[in-house]
C-alpha cells in the first residue's frame, strides 16, 4: 500500500485560483494601495474557497501508510517492561507499537 499527496486536477485548479487572488491583492497593496484592485483579489480568494468546497478539495487528501517510529526509552531502542516503558506505569502494555491509523488503505 502506498500513499500519494498528488491531488486531483480540480484541486490544483482551485489552488491556482487562490494563488492568483493573493497575487492580485498583493500587487494592489504594493502599487498604491489600490483598494479596488485589492477588493478584486480578495473576491478571487473568496471564490477559490467556494470552489474548493464545491470540488471537495478536503476529501482529496491521501494519507501515507502509518509510520512506526521507535522511541528511545532509557537510552535504548527497546524497553523491557516496568516503569521504563513508554508512558510509565500507565503507558503502553504491548511489547510492540500498535497501528493507530484506522485506515486500511489510502483514499482514492
Amino acid at each position: 500500500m502506498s500513499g500519494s499527496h498528488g491531488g486531483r486536477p480540480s484541486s490544483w485548479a482551485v489552488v491556482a485560483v487562490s494563488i492568483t487572488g493573493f497575487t492580485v491583492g498583493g500587487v494592489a497593496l504594493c502599487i498604491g494601495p489600490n483598494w479596488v484592485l485589492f477588493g478584486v483579489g480578495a473576491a478571487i480568494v473568496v471564490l477559490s474557497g467556494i470552489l474548493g468546497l464545491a470540488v471537495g478539495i478536503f476529501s482529496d487528501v491521501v494519507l501515507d501508510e502509518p509510520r512506526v517510529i521507535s522511541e528511545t526509552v532509557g537510552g535504548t531502542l527497546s524497553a523491557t517492561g516496568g516503569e521504563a516503558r513508554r508512558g510509565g506505569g500507565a503507558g503502553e502494555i504491548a511489547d510492540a507499537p500498535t497501528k493507530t491509523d484506522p485506515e486500511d488503505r489510502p483514499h482514492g
Side-chain angles (χ1 to χ4, degrees), residues 6-64:
R8 294 174 296 174
S10 60
S11 297
W12 282 110
V14 171
V15 170
V17 170
S18 179
I19 289 173
T20 301
F22 275 101
T23 302
V24 169
V27 168
L29 289 176
C30 291
I31 62 172
N34 184 334
W35 295 113
V36 173
L37 190 57
F38 179 80
V40 169
I44 293 172
V45 170
V46 169
L47 174 68
S48 73
I50 294 168
L51 287 174
L53 291 174
V55 301
I57 196 169
F58 291 118
S59 66
D60 198 27
V61 176
V62 179
L63 301 174
D64 289 337

Side-chain angles (χ1 to χ4, degrees), residues 69-92:
I69 302 172
S70 12
E71 297 180 15
T72 304
V73 179
T76 168
L77 289 177
S78 61
T80 55
E83 293 297 313
R85 299 185 80 142
R86 291 183 290 194
E92 293 182 7

